[in-house]
């Protein structure tokens, strides 16, 4: 039952294994049901996200300076990072 409820969750394999291997007891069935019904954690942007964008821009600049990226590719990737 809990495997059906949580079928669209990214951790469906864990829910299914708890159900399959330990679902014979009521407690384990409730654990699997809890896993299926709990909210997934929301990704909260951290204060360091701007540093990672800056790092990515530095990497792109270095690739452009080495000739790996053209100016057009650099601008496209930069705009993708900044939007």
């Amino acid at each position: 039952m809990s495997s059906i409820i949580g079928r669209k969750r990214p951790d469906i394999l864990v829910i299914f294994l708890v159900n399959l291997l330990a679902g014979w007891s009521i407690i384990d069935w409730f654990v699997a049901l809890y896993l299926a019904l709990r909210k997934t954690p929301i990704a909260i942007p951290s204060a360091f996200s701007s540093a990672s964008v800056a790092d990515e821009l530095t990497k792109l600049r270095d690739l452009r300076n080495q000739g790996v990226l053209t100016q057009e590719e650099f601008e496209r990737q930069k705009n993708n990072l900044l939007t």
Side-chain angles (χ1 to χ4, degrees):
M1 177 74 164
S2 54
S3 295
I4 295 170
I5 293 171
R7 70 184 174 273
K8 294 184 180 180
R9 294 185 49 86
D11 56 348
I12 183 61
L13 184 60
V14 173
I15 297 168
F16 176 74
L17 288 176
V18 167
N19 237 352
L20 181 69
L21 300 176
W24 51 268
S25 76
I26 298 297
I27 294 171
D28 294 329
W29 186 84
F30 279 116
V31 168
L33 187 62
Y34 167 75
L35 290 173
L37 293 175
R38 70 186 167 141
K39 292 182 180 179
T40 55
I42 298 171
I44 300 172
S46 66
F48 301 108
S49 64
S50 62
S52 64
V53 171
D55 291 339
E56 291 297 319
L57 286 173
T58 304
K59 291 177 187 176
L60 286 174
R61 185 199 65 207
D62 292 342
L63 289 173
R64 183 194 62 195
N65 291 343
Q66 295 171 0
V68 176
L69 292 176
T70 64
Q71 183 64 29
E72 181 181 302
E73 292 170 331
F74 171 75
E75 291 297 328
R76 188 176 331 122
Q77 292 295 330
K78 182 178 80 169
N79 289 335
N80 286 343
L81 282 173
L82 296 177
T83 58

